[in-house]
C-alpha cells in the first residue's frame, strides 16, 4: 500500500519576495561599502541574501546594470545630503555648505564614490544614466554660482565653474587615495576641506 506523502516546504532558496529588487540593491551597496565594487558578482550577491543564483537576473540583466543602479542611487543620496545643515538664505554660504557636504559624502562613502566616479561605468564611455545625474549636479552647481556671482559673463562663469569643480573634485579624489601630504603638524581632512573650499570660492570674486 502506497504511503501518502505529507506536503512540505520546497527545497531550494526562495525567489519570490515582496521587494527583491530593493533587497538586491541594499545588499549590493552593503557589499560594496565592505569590500568594493570590484569584488561584487551576481552569484555572491545571491548568496548574500539567500536566493538562487538566477534570481538577481530577473531584476538586473547583468552585473553592470546592478552597479549602475547602485551608482545612480548614490548620486541621489549625495544630492539629498548636500542641503544638510546649509544656510540657504545666503548664496555664498549655500554654495560653501553644499561643496563641503560633497566632500563629506566623498569621505564617508569612499567605495560608493569610487563606483560613481572611477569605475567602468565612467571609464569606458559614460553610461547615459550616469550622464543624466551628473548633468543634474552640474546644473545645480552652475545655478548656485550664478546666485553668488551674477555679474560675471556667461563665458567667465563657465570657466570659473570648471576651475572650481576641478579643485574640489580633485581634492576629493586625492584625499580618498591618501595622496595629499603636508608638513607637520598635518591638518585633519575637515580643516583642509574648509580651507580648500574657501580658496576655491575666491574664484567667484569679481
Amino acid at each position: 500500500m502506497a504511503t501518502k506523502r505529507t506536503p512540505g516546504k520546497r527545497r531550494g532558496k526562495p525567489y519570490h519576495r515582496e521587494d527583491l529588487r530593493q533587497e538586491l540593491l541594499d545588499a549590493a551597496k552593503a557589499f560594496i561599502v565592505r569590500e568594493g565594487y570590484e569584488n561584487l558578482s551576481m552569484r555572491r550577491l545571491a548568496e548574500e541574501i539567500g536566493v538562487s543564483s538566477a534570481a538577481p537576473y530577473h531584476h538586473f540583466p547583468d552585473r553592470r546594470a546592478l552597479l549602475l543602479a547602485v551608482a545612480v542611487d548614490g548620486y541621489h543620496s549625495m544630492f539629498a545630503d548636500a542641503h544638510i545643515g546649509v544656510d540657504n538664505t545666503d548664496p555664498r554660504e549655500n554654495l560653501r555648505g553644499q561643496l563641503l557636504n560633497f566632500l563629506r559624502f566623498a569621505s564617508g562613502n569612499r567605495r560608493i564614490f569610487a563606483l560613481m566616479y572611477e569605475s567602468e561605468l565612467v571609464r569606458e564611455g559614460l553610461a547615459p544614466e550616469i550622464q543624466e545625474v551628473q548633468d543634474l549636479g552640474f546644473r545645480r552647481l552652475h545655478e548656485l554660482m550664478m546666485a553668488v556671482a551674477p555679474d560675471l559673463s556667461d563665458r567667465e562663469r563657465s570657466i570659473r565653474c570648471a576651475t572650481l569643480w576641478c579643485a574640489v573634485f580633485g581634492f576629493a579624489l586625492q584625499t580618498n587615495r591618501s595622496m595629499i601630504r603636508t608638513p607637520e603638524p598635518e591638518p585633519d581632512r575637515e580643516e583642509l576641506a574648509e580651507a580648500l573650499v574657501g580658496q576655491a570660492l575666491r574664484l567667484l570674486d569679481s
Side-chain angles (χ1 to χ4, degrees):
M1 180 177 178
T3 304
K4 186 176 181 181
R5 298 180 63 182
T6 303
K9 292 183 179 179
R10 294 178 62 187
R11 292 186 178 183
K13 297 176 181 178
Y15 160 60
H16 292 292
R17 293 191 182 178
E18 193 67 28
D19 194 355
L20 181 57
R21 185 181 189 278
Q22 190 60 50
E23 280 191 67
L24 291 165
L25 280 175
D26 292 343
K29 180 178 178 180
F31 183 96
I32 291 169
V33 168
R34 187 175 69 247
E35 300 188 37
Y37 71 88
E38 301 92 340
N39 300 314
L40 179 64
S41 69
M42 300 292 267
R43 180 178 294 277
R44 288 195 66 179
L45 182 62
E47 292 173 354
E48 287 276 319
I49 63 173
V51 295
S52 72
S53 58
Y57 292 98
H58 289 273
H59 299 275
F60 303 99
D62 52 31
R63 176 179 178 273
R64 180 181 174 84
L66 173 64
L67 292 178
L68 191 56
V70 176
V72 170
D73 184 69
Y75 279 100
H76 290 304
S77 295
M78 183 176 70
F79 294 154
D81 289 354
H83 301 279
I84 295 175
V86 172
D87 176 10
N88 58 14
T89 62
D90 179 87
R92 195 178 186 93
E93 282 302 305
N94 189 9
L95 177 56
R96 176 182 175 276
Q98 292 202 40
L99 291 174
L100 285 171
N101 281 340
F102 168 80
L103 293 176
R104 291 175 186 132
F105 179 90
S107 175
N109 303 273
R110 295 188 180 197
R111 287 174 170 162
I112 296 294
F113 190 81
L115 172 66
M116 293 162 58
Y117 286 103
E118 299 184 83
S119 69
E120 63 263 30
L121 300 178
V122 298
R123 285 197 306 264
E124 301 166 4
L126 200 59
E129 296 88 345
I130 299 294
Q131 178 81 60
E132 182 179 352
V133 287
Q134 285 192 2
D135 285 349
L136 174 60
F138 283 124
R139 285 197 301 272
R140 290 181 176 180
L141 176 61
H142 194 252
E143 289 169 1
L144 289 168
M145 292 186 65
M146 286 185 68
V148 174
D151 296 332
L152 293 176
S153 68
D154 290 343
R155 176 177 173 77
E156 186 61 30
R157 189 182 300 109
S158 294
I159 291 172
R160 297 192 193 191
C161 182
T163 306
L164 183 147
W165 173 245
C166 287
V168 174
F169 182 63
F171 178 82
L173 290 182
Q174 290 189 65
T175 50
N176 277 0
R177 297 172 182 171
S178 301
M179 293 176 65
I180 293 180
R181 297 288 185 271
T182 64
E184 296 292 342
E186 187 173 344
D188 62 28
R189 180 185 173 114
E190 184 70 15
E191 184 180 357
L192 275 175
E194 291 190 7
L196 180 282
V197 169
Q199 292 291 336
L201 286 176
R202 292 185 180 183
L203 292 167
L204 302 182
D205 295 337
S206 300

